[in-house]
Amino acid sequence: MRNGQIDDYDQLDREVVSLGNDYAQGFILPRHKHRRAQLLYGATGLMHVSTHSGEWVVPPQHAVWIPPETLHAV
């Protein structure tokens, strides 16, 4: 699914849910959390991910693992 909202798919009875989104340069996702763990991958562009445990700069074609219920901003 492309450019969907996780809330529309989070309750599916599946072990893994995949979702892709496109964001404009400079777009900010404010602090939020998910019921499931998240593998946040950026095909292009640079991401800055912050949690209470630290901050990471994630280059293109790399990912960061975010445990379930972890507040994070991107």
Side-chain angles (χ1 to χ4, degrees), residues 7-37:
D7 293 338
D8 296 337
Y9 304 95
D10 194 40
Q11 297 306 319
L12 291 175
D13 187 21
R14 303 213 171 140
E15 293 293 320
V16 175
V17 176
S18 175
L19 184 68
N21 287 303
D22 296 311
Y23 297 108
Q25 182 176 343
F27 184 84
I28 296 174
L29 287 169
R31 284 200 174 273
H32 63 285
K33 62 182 178 176
H34 305 285
R35 179 179 69 87
R36 301 171 189 248

Side-chain angles (χ1 to χ4, degrees), residues 29 31 48-56 66 70-74:
L29 287 169
R31 284 200 174 273
H48 174 238
V49 180
S50 63
T51 72
H52 70 280
S53 297
E55 298 189 23
W56 298 267
I66 303 171
T70 299
L71 278 172
H72 61 284
V74 184

